[in-house]
């Protein structure tokens, strides 16, 4: 049996190794949510920054839910392999800055102690949209969110992201320790501002003076993050083993492209991420909108159409010339809702996205992207659609995307086979459409009433809702994907 990846010695020469002395590295960052995306983006950027500029920016990670990744990382002394896949081949790079992993559900007090350690100067997050507990209609705290409700009732024994951050900051304040910088790396527009609002809302409810202290002392930089990262599969683990000579249960795979734009506003320093290629700016919003609307919006469009049309991976959808052309059309429609983005030509950006989606070496499941639609639609599709309509655009590709989501939300393939929606609001969706006839008109009318999801400017636009209903009717009749 092959040895496990645990040290950097004796690895196959095909593996690229961290270019610094890991034994000297001390913790500076606590990261919540060590999923594949974090391991393909934040951790490699930090690895490269430490290699160039040093600094005590080792990362401790904490899983708030499942233990597997944390356990595998601890078994491997924090080491794991990142595979970068392209049609020219696969490169293996061992990533070094993770020092320890915690599992919050196993030892919540231990995680609170880490949040209080003055060495931890940044608490970063990749926890997915649904973990924030945001009410999409108001942008404030969703008091019905399970973690938010539990943490408000029991604020010193948190289980959710906002509860942990607020309790950590509160402990620091009580002990006179400088605050850490919370750093959101999730696909939300103005993710730092969103996080700030939720943290302040929560703090206000538990202790208004804590709210004031946070407001006065804690920066919440926003970031735009980008790297396509399919979930790991057997092929990931096998290739990691082949290229490093070690078994690696925390291996991940990703594309060559990577981008990070960060607002340079930190309470107590940061790694030299700019040396690793990150762009440090004063305002990230133009980049975020571009990425959410052009990349993620088109991704969701392709994921829903592709999944219901029987395509397993985005690269397969891109092989369908009609769907690839539709994606391109949608990217251009999304671009028309954007202000100029410094240093970026939006036509070139769209062409680059098309090439990234088509990368034959990346097996990115349509079903993976289809997940959590209710959490993704607003920023990716519904906000730009609202703006497009207000500017006299017909927002047709948005209507196709929303119809495709609605077709997906029925939870049943054309042959009657059912699938799980994998959406925190799946129960509400199922209840809304349970007794509704399977017509475009009836299903769209029912789903338009899902509380808080669709802005009134969209549901009040008769021509647009009719367009959604017509397109949904076509998709219900025939999921072989007629060319729109
Ligand atoms: C995807 C994103 O799963 C999804 O919803 O659209 O994860 C996408 O791959 C990344 O944002 C790319 O940076």
């Amino acid at each position: 049996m092959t040895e496990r990846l645990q040290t950097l010695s004796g690895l196959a020469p095909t593996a690229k190794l961290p270019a610094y002395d890991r034994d000297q590295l001390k913790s500076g960052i606590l990261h919540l949510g060590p999923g594949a995306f974090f391991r393909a983006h934040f951790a490699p950027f930090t690895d490269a920054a430490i290699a160039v500029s040093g600094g005590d920016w080792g990362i401790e990670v904490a899983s708030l839910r499942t233990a597997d990744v944390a356990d595998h990382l601890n078994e491997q002394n924090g080491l794991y392999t990142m595979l970068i896949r392209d049609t020219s081949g696969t490169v293996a790079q061992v990533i070094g800055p993770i020092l320890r992993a915690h599992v919050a559900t196993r030892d919540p007090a231990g995680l609170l102690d880490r949040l209080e350690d003055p060495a931890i100067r940044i608490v970063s997050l990749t926890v997915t949209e649904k973990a924030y507990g945001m009410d999409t209609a108001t942008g404030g705290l969703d008091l019905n969110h399970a973690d938010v409700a539990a943490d408000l009732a029991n604020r010193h024994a948190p289980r959710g992201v906002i509860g942990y951050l607020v309790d950590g900051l509160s402990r620091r304040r009580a002990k006179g320790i400088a605050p850490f910088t919370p750093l959101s790396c999730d696909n939300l527009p103005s993710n730092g501002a969103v996080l700030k609002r939720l943290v302040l809302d929560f703090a206000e409810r538990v202790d208004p003076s804590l709210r004031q202290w946070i407001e006065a002392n804690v920066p919440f930089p926003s970031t735009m993050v980008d790297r396509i990262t399919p979930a790991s599969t057997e092929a990931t683990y096998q290739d990691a083993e082949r290229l490093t000579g070690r078994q690696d249960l925390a291996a991940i795979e990703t594309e060559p492209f990577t981008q990070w734009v960060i607002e340079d506003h930190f309470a107590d320093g940061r790694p030299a991420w700019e040396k690793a290629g990150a762009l440090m700016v004063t305002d990230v919003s133009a980049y975020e909108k571009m990425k959410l609307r052009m990349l993620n919006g088109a991704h969701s469009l392709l994921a829903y159409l592709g999944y219901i049309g029987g395509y397993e991976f985005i690269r397969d959808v891109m092989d369908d010339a009609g769907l690839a052309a539709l994606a391109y059309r949608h990217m251009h429609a999304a671009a028309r809702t954007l202000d100029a983005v410094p240093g970026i030509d939006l036509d070139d950006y769209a062409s680059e996205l098309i090439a990234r989606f088509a990368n034959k070496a990346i097996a990115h499941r349509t079903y993976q992207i289809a997940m959590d639609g209710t959490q993704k639609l607003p920023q990716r599709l519904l906000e730009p659609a609202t703006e497009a309509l207000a500017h006299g655009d017909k927002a047709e590709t948005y209507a196709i995307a929303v119809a495709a989501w609605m077709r997906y939300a029925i939870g049943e393939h054309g042959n009657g086979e059912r699938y799980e929606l994998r959406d925190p609001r799946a129960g509400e969706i199922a209840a809304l459409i349970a007794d509704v006839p399977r017509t475009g008109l009836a299903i769209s009318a029912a789903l338009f009433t899902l509380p808080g999801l669709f802005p009134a400017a969209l549901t009040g636009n008769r021509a647009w809702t009719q367009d959604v209903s017509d397109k949904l009717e076509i998709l219900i009749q025939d999921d072989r994907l007629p060319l729109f």
Side-chain angles (χ1 to χ4, degrees):
M1 195 147 127
T2 319
E3 241 179 89
R4 194 77 182 270
L5 175 65
Q6 280 169 333
T7 69
L8 294 172
S9 58
L11 266 61
T14 31
K16 196 176 154 210
L17 305 182
Y20 49 91
D21 183 359
R22 285 187 88 227
D23 296 337
Q24 302 302 317
L25 192 61
K26 297 196 184 66
S27 305
I29 299 173
L30 179 68
H31 182 84
L32 307 181
F37 179 69
F38 157 78
R39 280 172 283 151
H41 188 271
F42 189 106
F45 263 106
T46 306
D47 184 79
I50 297 170
V52 179
S53 287
D56 281 329
W57 294 110
I59 308 174
E60 294 186 32
V61 301
S63 282
L64 296 189
R65 303 253 171 280
T66 49
D68 288 13
V69 171
D71 286 345
H72 293 327
L73 285 170
N74 279 332
E75 289 152 15
Q76 297 179 182
N77 294 317
L79 294 170
Y80 67 94
T81 312
M82 171 171 74
L83 300 178
I84 302 176
R85 293 200 193 275
D86 206 351
T87 39
S88 55
T90 298
V91 173
Q93 183 178 347
V94 176
I95 304 294
I98 299 179
L99 300 179
R100 272 169 70 194
H102 308 269
V103 179
T105 45
R106 246 183 234 157
D107 182 14
L111 178 54
L112 287 169
D113 287 346
R114 301 312 299 129
L115 284 165
E116 204 182 297
D117 182 344
I120 299 296
R121 286 154 285 157
I122 294 173
V123 176
S124 48
L125 286 77
T126 47
V127 290
T128 79
E129 299 88 340
K130 62 178 174 280
Y132 283 75
M134 181 180 79
D135 179 340
T136 39
T138 64
L141 208 54
D142 175 3
L143 300 178
N144 294 318
H145 187 273
D147 288 345
V148 170
D151 291 355
L152 280 171
N154 204 359
R155 66 167 285 217
H156 294 303
R159 60 179 226 193
V161 177
I162 307 298
Y164 270 111
L165 288 177
V166 172
D167 204 49
L169 288 167
S170 155
R171 285 162 168 246
R172 287 195 173 220
R173 177 191 179 217
K175 297 200 169 156
I177 300 168
F180 51 75
T181 300
L183 187 65
S184 168
C185 299
D186 282 292
N187 275 323
L188 289 162
S190 308
N191 49 14
V194 164
L195 183 61
K196 178 174 184 176
R197 165 123 188 239
L198 299 174
V199 164
L200 292 181
D201 263 19
F202 191 103
E204 176 73 33
R205 285 167 194 277
V206 297
D207 173 359
S209 73
L210 176 62
R211 180 208 155 100
Q212 279 167 14
W213 181 82
I214 295 175
E215 201 160 18
N217 295 288
V218 184
F220 287 82
S222 287
T223 66
M224 182 270 252
V225 294
D226 189 8
R227 192 166 214 184
I228 290 174
T229 308
S232 296
T233 64
E234 261 325 297
T236 321
Y237 304 120
Q238 277 166 16
D239 283 356
E241 182 165 331
R242 183 171 55 79
L243 291 166
T244 64
R246 294 285 181 272
Q247 187 195 32
D248 179 354
L249 298 181
I252 52 110
E253 62 173 81
T254 189
E255 62 172 342
F257 182 94
T258 184
Q259 189 175 31
W260 200 9
V261 188
I262 310 169
E263 286 177 357
D264 200 359
H265 188 30
F266 288 78
D268 196 7
R270 59 166 176 82
W273 285 312
E274 73 281 9
K275 301 267 173 51
L279 187 61
M280 309 305 299
V281 300
T282 49
D283 182 359
V284 92
S285 52
Y287 299 92
E288 266 176 356
K289 272 192 185 166
M290 169 189 82
K291 192 259 170 174
L292 279 166
R293 294 180 178 191
M294 292 181 69
L295 187 159
N296 297 109
H299 235 185
S300 291
L301 165 73
L302 295 176
Y304 295 118
L305 278 178
Y307 185 75
I308 60 183
Y311 292 110
E312 188 172 6
F313 301 116
I314 288 290
R315 65 183 183 201
D316 306 334
V317 187
M318 295 301 288
D319 264 348
D320 180 318
L323 292 177
L326 177 63
Y328 195 60
R329 189 146 64 91
H330 182 71
M331 286 172 193
H332 281 278
R336 290 197 294 277
T337 69
L338 300 173
D339 296 330
V341 187
I344 295 186
D345 177 302
L346 295 179
D347 284 336
D348 293 349
Y349 184 68
S351 304
E352 191 179 33
L353 292 179
I354 293 289
R356 290 171 63 197
F357 287 4
N359 183 347
K360 289 270 178 236
I362 294 289
H364 201 189
R365 289 207 148 72
T366 51
Y367 190 46
Q368 179 181 343
I369 301 164
M371 186 165 69
D372 291 344
T374 57
Q375 312 296 301
K376 294 174 175 172
L377 254 53
Q379 57 277 16
R380 297 179 177 204
L381 295 162
L382 307 181
E383 281 160 24
T386 308
E387 289 173 24
L389 287 172
H391 290 112
D393 196 310
K394 282 209 196 105
E396 198 209 351
T397 56
Y398 298 95
I400 298 172
V402 168
W405 172 73
M406 289 180 167
R407 172 64 191 84
Y408 172 83
I410 295 175
E412 195 175 304
H413 291 292
N415 63 8
E417 203 182 300
R418 299 212 44 96
Y419 52 85
E420 201 193 323
L421 282 203
R422 302 202 301 174
D423 188 298
R425 302 189 71 182
E428 281 176 82
I429 291 173
L432 271 179
I433 59 176
D435 299 319
V436 160
R438 296 282 169 88
T439 67
L441 186 60
I443 299 276
S444 63
L447 289 176
F448 278 136
T449 68
L450 195 65
L453 185 61
F454 290 95
L458 284 184
T459 50
N461 186 315
R462 283 287 306 274
W464 193 77
T465 56
Q466 184 64 48
D467 201 15
V468 173
S469 154
D470 291 347
K471 285 175 164 124
L472 177 58
E473 180 63 30
I474 297 172
L475 291 172
I476 289 173
Q477 296 298 330
D478 183 0
D479 43 30
R480 277 178 301 130
L481 302 185
L483 267 190
F484 284 112

